[in-house]
Amino acid sequence: ILVTAAVNMLPVTNAGSDTTIASSVTNLDGTGSYDPDGTITAHNWTKISGPAIYTLSSATVARPSLTGLILGDYYFQLETTDNLGAKSKDTVLISSLATILPVKWLYFKATGSAGINKLTWATSGEYLNDRFEVEKSTDGNNFHQIGIVQGVGTSEKEQVYQFVDKQPGSGQSFYRLRQVSKDGNISYSNIAVVNIDAGGKSILIFPNPV
């Protein structure tokens, strides 16, 4: 009588179908994976090529969310492990047509008090943001630079900034931000206006146009 041990079969890994998306959000889907003679005990997702900008909710679940994608082809590999330690792999292509803005503006405002004008602004996301050039005008048309505030580069978190104009003068002061990216792209904020009357009181006009 010859007795032999059963050979453990490899799990069948299915990383999902290659797909093209127009947004920056999707899901990876490894729920089609299975083990012919046991159970799958572990999933592990790895990005093997593609843009560096993305957020994966979890690398160890079957169907994680994938957010923050930009234009490009992302290749992800799924490795599954069965209850006896056997492993197999599969790869999926996510082609993203999404473009990312240099800066996602939340607000830009200006207030005047005690002889100064304080500018505050916030972003909900930045991509290769190098700096903000603070510009000022007395007529709303001809702007000149009065300062620079450095950006954080690339971030998906809210960032808050401020700048103080210590010589605002009287009358109306128009402010805007010229955002400059590391790759040369430029964007502008809305225009905020502070009106300092003869008594030193300020009137905020925001947003502009009103």
Side-chain angles (χ1 to χ4, degrees), residues 145-161:
Q145 181 179 310
I146 61 171
I148 293 177
V149 177
Q150 293 299 131
V152 298
T154 298
S155 171
E156 293 185 5
K157 298 180 180 180
E158 180 176 332
Q159 304 292 332
V160 179
Y161 301 88

Side-chain angles (χ1 to χ4, degrees), residues 12-187:
V12 178
T13 301
N14 184 348
S17 301
D18 294 347
T19 184
T20 299
I21 61 172
S23 69
S24 61
V25 178
T26 189
N27 286 94
L28 296 176
D29 193 353
T31 57
S33 305
Y34 66 94
D35 186 35
D37 58 351
T39 58
I40 290 180
T41 59
H43 298 79
N44 186 37
W45 291 96
T46 306
K47 193 196 74 148
I48 56 178
S49 68
I53 305 299
Y54 73 98
T55 299
L56 188 64
S57 63
S58 174
T60 58
V61 299
R63 195 172 188 269
S65 64
L66 187 60
T67 60
L69 301 178
I70 61 173
L71 182 68
D73 292 334
Y74 293 80
Y75 288 86
F76 285 89
Q77 178 180 271
L78 173 62
E79 180 183 74
T80 61
T81 305
D82 71 8
N83 55 303
L84 295 179
K87 302 176 184 290
S88 68
K89 300 176 181 179
D90 189 33
T91 302
V92 65
L93 164 64
I94 306 294
S95 294
S96 173
L97 303 179
T99 57
I100 188 168
L101 297 174
V103 165
K104 298 177 182 178
W105 301 96
L106 285 177
Y107 61 83
F108 171 57
K109 56 187 178 180
T111 55
S113 64
I116 63 171
N117 286 348
K118 183 178 180 180
L119 315 181
T120 56
W121 66 97
T123 64
S124 60
E126 299 181 18
Y127 177 63
L128 298 178
N129 179 25
D130 182 64
R131 65 189 184 274
F132 299 96
E133 297 178 354
V134 182
E135 296 184 342
K136 181 180 180 180
S137 171
T138 56
D139 59 10
N141 293 312
N142 301 302
F143 285 85
H144 64 278
Q145 181 179 310
I146 61 171
I148 293 177
V149 177
Q150 293 299 131
V152 298
T154 298
S155 171
E156 293 185 5
K157 298 180 180 180
E158 180 176 332
Q159 304 292 332
V160 179
Y161 301 88
Q162 70 174 27
F163 178 86
V164 175
D165 181 4
K166 297 181 179 179
Q167 297 179 327
S170 60
Q172 286 187 324
S173 294
F174 299 81
Y175 297 95
R176 72 181 183 186
L177 300 173
R178 182 176 185 265
Q179 179 272 325
V180 182
S181 299
K182 296 180 185 295
D183 57 5
N185 288 324
I186 295 172
S187 67

